[in-house]
Amino acid sequence: MARPAATRWYAALATLIVFVLLAWMLGAVLPLSEGERTVLRVALLALGLVAAAALLWWLRPDAPAAPAAGPGRDDALTVVTTARAPSPRAAFDARPMVLLVGTEGSCKSTVVARAGLDAELLAGDGAGEAPPATAAANLWLAKQAVFAEPGGKVLADEVRWRAALRARRSPALGAAL
């Protein structure tokens, strides 16, 4: 069930107001000394802030669904899986990654193919004298580095772009060094 975006903020504000009123009323009604009354009010205000923060977290928007495995899987994720398949995952993920980012038709594949790096196309469709426009992504291996070239449509779609980066992200810190 979809909730309006402001619902969580209204609920947190209402929770905080209830705790502020409770702190004020209990401090006035209970027979406490001035120091005890201050401690009670501060404790209830702190508890109210924690309750409001917990409610904000509990009512947070749902994260976008990850692409499903199988026939409906995103092409960019399939390219990363295909490039990773021939080598052990640790060997592939330990290599540094160079992102080639640009608009559609900005000659990213041509630059890699003609840069003199002796790049090997691991996955994608960037081979040939005049490489076609990249549909999903191309992954190249050159000089022990992986050159990742996402297609223009992948870059334009934030969910697909994040999923592709997450699929390539290495679990080891050593790949970043």
Side-chain angles (χ1 to χ4, degrees):
M1 179 171 98
R3 291 184 295 269
T7 301
R8 61 184 264 190
W9 295 101
Y10 292 141
L13 181 63
T15 302
L16 191 57
I17 289 173
V18 166
F19 273 92
V20 167
L21 289 175
L22 188 64
W24 178 65
M25 293 174 97
L26 281 178
V29 172
L30 293 176
L32 301 171
S33 68
E34 200 57 41
E36 292 171 331
R37 185 175 295 128
T38 302
V39 169
L40 174 71
R41 287 181 175 163
V42 169
L44 283 174
L45 288 176
L47 189 60
L49 285 173
V50 169
L55 195 59
L56 280 173
W57 180 81
W58 181 261
L59 295 176
R60 72 189 182 281
D62 295 329
R73 187 178 169 110
D74 188 5
D75 293 341
L77 298 178
T78 305
V79 169
V80 172
T81 305
T82 304
R84 186 177 275 135
S87 64
R89 181 180 174 113
F92 183 82
D93 289 340
R95 294 184 176 126
M97 181 176 70
V98 178
L99 281 174
L100 301 168
V101 181
T103 60
E104 218 171 329
S106 61
C107 302
K108 298 178 297 286
S109 297
T110 305
V111 167
V112 173
R114 297 183 182 171
L117 297 172
D118 194 28
E120 172 191 352
L121 182 66
L122 296 174
D125 54 1
E129 183 62 30
T134 305
N138 291 332
L139 288 171
W140 308 78
L141 178 64
K143 308 287 184 192
Q144 294 302 314
V146 175
F147 289 80
E149 173 208 343
K153 292 178 183 169
V154 173
L155 286 172
D157 184 1
E158 181 181 350
V159 174
R160 289 182 71 195
W161 173 237
R162 287 180 185 266
L165 284 179
R166 236 179 275 117
R168 175 53 183 103
R169 181 174 41 195
S170 173
L173 178 63
L177 302 177

